[in-house]
Amino acid sequence: MSIWDQTHECMSRDEIEQLQLERFQAVMNRVHKNVVHYRKKFDDLGIIAEDIRSLSDLTKIPFTTKDDLRRNYPYGMFAVPLREVVRIHSSLGTTGKPIVVGYTKNDIRIWSNLVARFMIAAGVTSDDLVQIAFSYGIFTGAFGLHYGAETIGASVIPMGTGNTEKQIMIMQDYKTTVLVSTPSYALALAERLEQLGVNAKTLSLKAGLFGGEPWSEKMREEIERRLLLSATDNYGLSEVIGPGVAGECSRKKGLHIYEDAFIPEVINPETGEVLPSGHSGELVLTTLTKEAFPMIRYRTGDITSLDYAKCECGRTIVRMQKVMQRSDDMLIIRGINVFPAQIEEVLFSVAKGETPYQLIVERKGAMDSLEVVVEVTDKIFSQELQKQRYFLETVKKHIGALTGINVDVKLVEAKSIPRKEGKITRVVDKRQI
Ligand code: DLL
């Protein structure tokens, strides 16, 4: 079994912690010097980099949240001048403006190597043909996997998303061996293959690298059975780097976190208390190698637990459990992150006031759908059909423009959305993943 970076993936715990401490002290100095947000926070609390003598001192440092990033929009959290930034990506913030992340040339090199690590761990080699069915754009997924595959020396087929029949044709003709996509798209592909009467046996797929959204063991089994490949999970988030934070090896017993590049902690999301390994809580990540956009104790919102036992594959780096849940109300619809507050904002501005609503999420076939159910109120002028239609279309258009997803909007009678103690359950997620 091959390991891309034997040195960093198989160190002893002492060596890992020593390296993390050295790198962390350097990051503290850098952010104190270059990022006003951190300088102010540390100065207010009287924290100086020299106070960090062991990794347990990490707890003295406050968390960084999505809100901090939003307040520093667009470039306030950058630790290098823009002239050193060669790439900008972004992710949706909780409301309104997105979160902007930057990469230096060196960041891109480091990113490529991190992704190469989990690709190799999943069995990708330089002989492979890797079809990337993530969206090429401001989303980090496609570029991350693209660079990782090229770093290994594999051949990349940069398909982008959608156009399932063409994806299948390319898969057949180019003899794609590795599929990269969201797990739900892998199922959509399987479904289309079956509809077209194409037997997966006639394809050349051997591995599928899936990430960007939660998926269960049941889904893994289904994808593997229908596409006849070995499916592995990989995890990451734009704020921290994109894909490349962690990935499974072929043992599929947890995702190896690249600890020479990140310090993971798991906290109680209510109290902020750090939890011992094995306990489930919110993942907090500190970056150790990023130049343009270092993150100190960033609250990911993802629920997981850590396992420090050495893996059968030989790697000693910690493993995180598959992420199946969030500590906040973020939804992932077809791989795109959406916050109910964003939808509420649109409704409020179009209806020019508060409007009772509920979000219904379903998986129809392999595809996620989001329906926005809005109660008719005086504000939404119950009588005039034309105005209602205009309202529905405007809401749909604005949500599409803000989040990038197509939603269905439905008007229902006043007071018809069920209430529990007077309150509407904001999100009804009917997906069984
Ligand atoms: O989804 C980065 C990525 C792309 C990772 C492709 C892996 C493959 P964001 O758009 O910023 O970045 O969304 C990050 O997606 O906080 C999780 O909630 C969720 N997420 C990402 N990967 C997984 C996974 C990318 N493997 C957010 N399992 C994260 C469960 C995942 N959730």
Side-chain angles (χ1 to χ4, degrees), residues 38 93 236 265 268:
Y38 287 119
E265 298 169 272
N268 174 332

Side-chain angles (χ1 to χ4, degrees), residues 22-165:
E22 283 163 21
R23 290 188 168 174
F24 183 57
Q25 285 165 333
V27 174
M28 285 291 284
N29 273 317
R30 277 222 344 270
V31 297
H32 185 264
K33 191 161 148 244
N34 299 326
V35 185
V36 176
H37 168 83
Y38 287 119
R39 179 156 62 240
K40 202 169 162 321
K41 261 196 177 172
F42 298 167
D43 290 353
D44 287 352
L45 292 165
I47 299 168
I48 47 172
E50 288 70 40
D51 286 344
I52 309 297
R53 294 206 185 84
S54 77
L55 287 177
S56 58
D57 289 330
L58 203 64
T59 53
K60 294 181 182 159
I61 300 164
F63 297 118
T64 306
T65 62
K66 241 188 206 316
D67 231 26
D68 291 324
L69 307 190
R70 189 178 52 77
R71 273 197 294 273
N72 286 288
Y73 176 85
Y75 300 134
M77 300 296 278
F78 282 25
V80 297
L82 265 185
R83 89 181 93 84
E84 287 177 34
V85 170
V86 299
R87 171 70 57 74
I88 287 172
H89 278 288
S90 95
S91 156
L92 285 177
T94 36
T95 52
K97 299 284 189 195
I99 282 158
V100 182
V101 296
Y103 302 71
T104 62
K105 249 188 197 160
N106 199 35
D107 288 335
I108 299 271
R109 191 184 57 78
I110 288 167
W111 188 22
S112 310
N113 272 291
L114 288 169
V115 175
R117 287 199 207 173
F118 73 73
M119 295 190 89
I120 287 276
V124 182
T125 71
S126 55
D127 294 335
D128 278 309
L129 283 141
V130 183
Q131 185 160 334
I132 301 196
F134 276 137
S135 155
Y136 278 82
I138 207 92
F139 174 65
T140 52
F143 284 99
L145 272 291
H146 185 119
Y147 294 145
E150 283 190 353
T151 301
I152 289 173
S155 314
V156 177
I157 311 170
M159 281 301 288
T161 46
N163 211 340
T164 307
E165 281 182 31

Side-chain angles (χ1 to χ4, degrees), residues 134 139 141 211-214 233-234 236-238 302 323 326 332 337:
F134 276 137
F139 174 65
E213 64 181 12
D233 190 6
N234 66 86
L237 61 164
S238 322
D302 293 314
V323 171
R326 297 233 358 133
I332 307 185
N337 307 346

